[in-house]
Amino acid sequence: HVQLVESGGGSVQAGGSLRLSCVVSGYTLGNICIGWFRQGLGKGPEGVAAIYTGGGNTYYADSVKGRFIITRDKARDLVYLQMNSLKPEDTAMYYCAAEPGWDCYSDSWRSGLGFGYWGQGTQVTVS
């Protein structure tokens, strides 16, 4: 049973940076798709970034490309989302999601429908 715990959220001024962490337990990071999603107040969920740990392939939403970086630390079963040049519109609850044995398959990760496991979220506020 996969469990995910996010951390690293907080409040930051526009232009600043934050690094979110997702601890993955119950499955090793050798063959799993990990995604980061966000949902702002009154907005629908948005796929932000994803990584397939088997090959290291990464995927990004156009809104964060060039500013956010998703990486994994297999030794510590951690996935990070480094967020740079933050904007007020990045304000949202950020969630980590996982699906074992899935390569994220191109753009299909964006909908979130392929992920069976979700964390509780961590709030990011940019002012």
Side-chain angles (χ1 to χ4, degrees):
H1 181 68
V2 179
Q3 291 186 307
L4 308 167
V5 178
E6 305 96 332
S7 63
S11 297
V12 65
Q13 291 189 332
S17 299
L18 282 174
R19 188 178 76 164
L20 305 184
S21 299
C22 175
V23 178
V24 183
S25 61
Y27 198 87
T28 61
L29 284 190
N31 181 26
I32 189 169
C33 178
I34 303 289
W36 282 98
F37 292 79
R38 66 186 181 187
Q39 186 162 16
L41 198 61
K43 299 181 181 179
E46 177 188 14
V48 175
I51 185 168
Y52 170 54
T53 63
N57 311 65
T58 57
Y59 307 90
Y60 296 95
D62 288 343
S63 58
V64 305
K65 205 171 289 184
R67 299 189 298 125
F68 290 12
I69 303 170
I70 186 170
T71 58
R72 89 282 199 195
D73 183 339
K74 283 187 181 181
R76 299 174 64 195
D77 290 337
L78 277 165
V79 174
Y80 299 105
L81 184 68
Q82 178 67 43
M83 306 187 296
N84 303 317
S85 302
L86 283 162
K87 305 174 181 179
E89 51 263 44
D90 294 318
T91 295
M93 184 72 79
Y94 282 72
Y95 299 90
C96 176
E99 183 58 30
W102 184 42
D103 67 358
C104 304
Y105 190 56
S106 189
D107 283 349
S108 64
W109 65 272
R110 296 177 191 274
S111 71
L113 295 176
F115 295 92
Y117 301 93
W118 293 80
Q120 294 299 306
T122 184
Q123 178 68 37
V124 171
T125 302
V126 185
S127 59

